[in-house]
Each structure stands twice: as C-alpha cells, then as structure tokens.
C-alpha cells in the first residue's frame, strides 16, 4: 500500500513538473535603438545618407511592430558604459547617393525658360544589426533603391539678347522618396533577421 502511494506521489510530481515546463522561448523584446552614425574620415556622403534615412527607417520599423528610438550614442560609447535600454541596435556603416541625367529638353517662353531632364536617383546603405545585451553582430546587410522622374534642372530669366540661368536642386526631393524605399527594404530585412533569430532561440 505504501509503495502504491509513493508511486502515485512520484507520478503526480513528474506530471506537475512537465506542466510547469514551457518549451516556448522567452520573448527577447522588440526595442530597437538606432545608433549615432560615425564615418571614416568624416565621409560626408555616408553621414548625409544616414541622416536622410534614419527617420524613415524608424517609421518603417514601427510599422513592422518594433519600438524604435534614437540611441543618441555610438556603439563605442555604449560599449564604454552608456546605457540606452535596447534589445537590438542598428548602425549605418556606409552610404552612397548618385544622380544621373539622361536626355533633356528646354522649354522657353518670351522671358523665361526651363530645362527638363530625366533624372535617375539612387540611394544605397550598408547597415549592421547588434544584440542589445552583448553587442555581438547579428547580421550585416545592404539596401538599395532607385527612382526616376522628369524634373526641372535649371530655370532661366531673360530677353532676346541676355539670359540668366540657375540650376535648381529638385533632385533632393527625389532622394527623399528613394530613401523611403531603401528604408522600407532595411526594415523588412531587419524584421526577417529577427524573426529567424527568434525561431532559433
């Protein structure tokens, strides 16, 4: 009788332990800090691309379901003790932009004219994703986007004998729309990597 009671007690303990064990991995959290960009030799293009894309990247990551904030620190500063609370960090490593004009036409009136040209704008960036606790690299990836549009490249004012022409930077507006597309690509890549990482935990 005592053996039967002991056996039942052991079985109940095993069953309770088994029920208490949850095989689902604990959630890592979804806070992503975007690091302050540093560039070798103060690479102006990289700094400009990072400044152009970081706001769009934050918005696209929020659409993917992440909580995103500006870390206001470089990776080195965090490694030395800065303490932004993040599960992951994203860093812009390199950036590049380019505009290429193809063809063109001048439209002139009696006292003014406009040069129109097909402009192809490109934005590319290399990013790195870090584990927020260990600062180990999770993944590196490149994003790229391009867009094209016919837009004014110069305007002129004058008369029959004299004219004054000035270039207009409308391509900057195109850079912004292309940067949005590159940020969307980056957010989707980050979400895919983190989903894969969560499956391996």
């Amino acid at each position: 009788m005592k053996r039967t009671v002991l056996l039942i007690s052991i079985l109940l303990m095993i069953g309770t332990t088994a029920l208490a064990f949850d095989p689902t991995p604990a959630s890592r959290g979804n806070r992503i800090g975007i690091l302050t960009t540093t560039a070798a030799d103060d690479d102006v293009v990289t700094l400009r691309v990072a400044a152009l894309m970081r706001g769009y990247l934050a918005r696209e990551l929020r659409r993917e379901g992440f909580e995103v904030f500006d870390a206001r620190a470089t990776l080195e500063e965090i490694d030395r003790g800065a303490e932004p609370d993040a599960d992951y960090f994203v860093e812009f490593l390199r950036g590049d932009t380019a505009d290429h004009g193809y063809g063109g036409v001048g439209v002139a009136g009696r006292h003014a004219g406009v040069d129109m040209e097909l402009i192809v704008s490109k934005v590319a960036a290399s990013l790195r994703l870090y584990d927020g606790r260990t600062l180990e690299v999770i993944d590196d990836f490149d994003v790229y986007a391009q867009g094209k549009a016919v837009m004014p490249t110069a305007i002129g004012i004058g008369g029959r004998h004299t004219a004054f022409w000035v270039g207009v930077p409308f391509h900057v507006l195109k850079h912004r729309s292309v940067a949005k597309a590159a940020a969307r690509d980056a957010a989707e890549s980050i979400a895919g990597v983190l989903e894969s990482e969560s499956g391996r935990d």
Side-chain angles (χ1 to χ4, degrees):
M1 181 66 178
K2 291 183 178 179
R3 290 181 179 177
T4 302
V5 172
L6 181 60
L7 181 60
I8 292 173
S9 299
I10 291 172
L11 290 173
L12 285 173
M13 288 176 61
I14 292 172
T16 303
T17 304
L19 289 173
F21 174 70
D22 183 3
T24 305
S27 174
R28 278 291 308 276
N30 68 344
R31 282 178 57 81
I32 297 178
I34 300 179
L35 294 168
T36 299
T37 303
T38 58
D41 300 322
D42 294 324
D43 180 357
V44 175
V45 177
T46 291
L47 295 174
R48 185 168 65 240
V49 169
L52 186 63
M53 284 186 60
R54 61 190 298 118
Y56 298 135
L57 177 60
R59 185 181 67 182
E60 294 298 332
L61 284 171
R62 290 188 184 105
R63 287 181 176 177
E64 293 286 341
F66 296 98
E67 183 181 348
V68 186
F69 67 98
D70 186 346
R72 300 184 183 279
T74 65
L75 184 69
E76 290 76 14
E77 289 169 339
I78 291 173
D79 196 29
R80 290 197 301 265
E83 298 182 353
D85 180 21
D87 300 294
Y88 308 97
F89 290 109
V90 175
E91 181 182 32
F92 285 90
L93 301 178
R94 290 178 302 280
D96 192 23
T97 62
D99 294 300
H100 299 289
Y102 298 92
V105 61
V107 180
R110 189 166 187 175
H111 299 292
V114 178
D115 283 346
M116 306 290 292
E117 195 169 354
L118 175 63
I119 302 295
V120 177
S121 297
K122 303 175 183 179
V123 173
S126 296
L127 297 94
R128 179 169 289 165
L129 182 63
Y130 298 93
D131 185 295
R133 294 177 298 189
T134 65
L135 299 186
E136 292 181 357
V137 176
I138 295 176
D139 203 357
D140 291 336
F141 49 93
D142 299 320
V143 295
Y144 168 85
Q146 75 171 28
K148 56 187 176 181
V150 175
M151 59 181 60
T153 56
I155 58 174
I157 300 173
R160 178 180 299 178
H161 303 292
T162 305
F164 179 67
W165 289 84
V166 178
V168 289
F170 283 117
H171 65 279
V172 172
L173 299 177
K174 193 61 184 173
H175 276 172
R176 292 178 182 172
S177 65
V178 175
K180 289 179 185 179
R184 191 176 309 116
D185 184 14
E188 290 173 355
S189 297
I190 290 169
V193 168
L194 294 183
E195 183 179 356
S196 176
E197 285 290 313
S198 176
R200 286 198 292 265
D201 286 345

